[in-house]
Amino acid sequence: MTAITSLGGGHGLFATLRAVRRIADEVTAVVTVADDGGSSGRLRRELGRIPPGDLRMALAALSADDERGRLWEDVLQHRFGGTGALAGHAVGNLIIAGLTSVLDDEVRALDEIGSLLGICGRVLPMSPRPLDIEAEVVGLEDDARVVRPVRGQVAVATTPGQVRRIRLIPDNPPATPDAVEAIMSADMVTLGPGSWFTSVLPHLQVPELVGALRDTSAQRVVVLNLSSEPGETAGFSSERHVHMLTQHAPDLTLDKILVDESTIGGASERSYLERAAATLSAEVVYADVREIDAEGGWTERHDPVKVAAALGELLPR
């Protein structure tokens, strides 16, 4: 039996989960818990619970690939319209919040919903408590050297400045014990793609998760983004993305960094990327993992079938 544990959040984690469920018998998603916007932010503030949005997306990604599973995926992702109290809320967010209130246990609630959806694995929060992201940002003042703190997942993701690093509040938060166990018992652990400062790097600010990543015997693979994102990583090269991993977890080592071959311009860019990967003791693997649109052009999305094939080649034999 093959077990894969994927760390991340949002649309990046959704794409990874859609890929790894093709090659694993058991998939565990370890999900960020710092969202403070939209429906998730409203429920977080009103109920004092971890935000459900990224957890909902991971459940939807892993729902059974049959008619019933696709129905439940649509239900989880459906948002209420109108202007009333429910406007903007995703149905799945309300289900997670309601079941958590009944059971008084987020992990049990997610397992129950996973059972209802027939998923082949689990969805777990990276920490049992809601967290906040605070970033050091430059470029917000006339003097570009001035560093300003920006707090909150939405504020960090949309800042017009450039993010230098992040931290979590409170510092050194606890990890969900089952998430640590999922990393330790996996055959492969993936990190990324996704919003680098708000979905990927937060995992490296949870000491127990970093310790598990360091100690696991699993193949540890970073899936790099296809491009930089407006706001938090504007202008970032692939090399800079890797340097951010080193900066936020200096003692971490990894095994592979999966890169779409179309995103690397030439020999010098490859050399810089491979040198950055070496600081993590990792090897760069180049593959075609980009989705093609109906006209035959490249999109800015990972293709789950291609990612599955590339990761399948990296699984321990």
Side-chain angles (χ1 to χ4, degrees), residues 12-302:
L13 179 60
F14 186 98
T16 301
L17 295 174
R18 277 289 158 92
V20 299
R21 75 177 191 172
R22 295 172 175 270
I23 57 173
D25 302 294
E26 183 172 338
V27 177
T28 301
V30 178
V31 184
T32 52
V33 290
D35 192 0
D36 61 356
S39 171
S40 284
R42 289 162 61 189
L43 291 170
R44 171 180 176 165
R45 289 187 292 273
E46 291 176 19
L47 302 176
R49 298 282 189 177
I50 58 179
D54 286 347
L55 298 163
R56 178 200 82 244
M57 288 190 66
L59 287 166
L62 292 175
S63 58
D65 189 18
D66 55 31
E67 185 175 354
R68 185 169 182 270
R70 288 187 286 274
L71 170 63
W72 272 105
E73 178 186 348
D74 290 343
V75 170
L76 287 178
Q77 300 284 56
H78 177 74
R79 289 187 184 271
F80 292 103
T83 57
L86 289 176
H89 275 304
V91 174
N93 289 356
L94 298 175
I95 293 173
I96 294 170
L99 193 52
T100 298
S101 295
V102 170
L103 298 175
D104 196 29
D105 187 319
E106 282 92 352
V107 172
R108 280 186 62 200
L110 291 165
D111 284 343
E112 286 292 336
I113 298 169
S115 178
L116 177 68
L117 298 175
I119 71 172
C120 58
R122 303 180 75 188
V123 172
L124 299 168
M126 74 176 189
S127 175
R129 64 177 60 172
L131 303 171
D132 285 310
I133 298 172
E134 184 176 88
E136 296 176 4
V137 181
V138 296
L140 298 177
E141 307 286 351
D142 291 337
D143 185 345
R145 297 168 298 177
V146 173
V147 178
R148 278 185 51 189
V150 173
R151 183 167 176 173
Q153 185 267 336
V154 172
V156 173
T158 59
T159 180
Q162 187 173 84
V163 180
R164 286 192 167 180
R165 66 177 300 126
I166 59 141
R167 71 184 186 99
L168 294 178
I169 301 173
D171 290 325
N172 301 321
T176 300
D178 288 18
V180 174
E181 173 56 31
I183 293 171
M184 293 302 297
S185 61
D187 298 296
M188 173 180 283
V189 179
T190 69
L191 181 65
S195 298
W196 218 239
F197 286 105
T198 53
S199 293
V200 176
L201 294 176
H203 290 83
L204 303 186
Q205 300 300 288
V206 181
E208 291 169 289
L209 294 185
V210 175
L213 285 169
R214 185 177 58 244
D215 297 339
T216 184
S217 61
Q219 183 83 335
R220 300 158 300 175
V221 182
V222 171
V223 183
L224 275 193
N225 290 350
L226 295 171
S227 62
S228 60
E229 293 185 295
E232 59 180 85
T233 58
F236 273 34
S237 63
S238 296
E239 175 197 6
R240 184 79 180 274
H241 281 80
V242 174
H243 278 311
M244 287 295 106
L245 298 173
T246 306
Q247 180 178 326
H248 285 79
D251 298 328
L252 182 64
T253 59
L254 298 168
D255 297 300
K256 307 290 184 183
I257 296 178
L258 178 61
V259 183
D260 180 75
E261 57 194 11
S262 71
T263 63
I264 306 300
S268 61
E269 193 172 343
R270 287 195 177 208
S271 176
Y272 294 142
L273 174 58
E274 289 162 9
R275 192 179 310 161
T279 65
L280 293 162
S281 300
E283 174 191 356
V284 179
V285 176
Y286 302 96
D288 173 16
V289 293
R290 190 186 289 241
E291 186 178 82
I292 303 296
D293 63 23
E295 285 72 43
W298 282 327
T299 72
E300 292 304 316
R301 296 185 298 271
H302 285 84

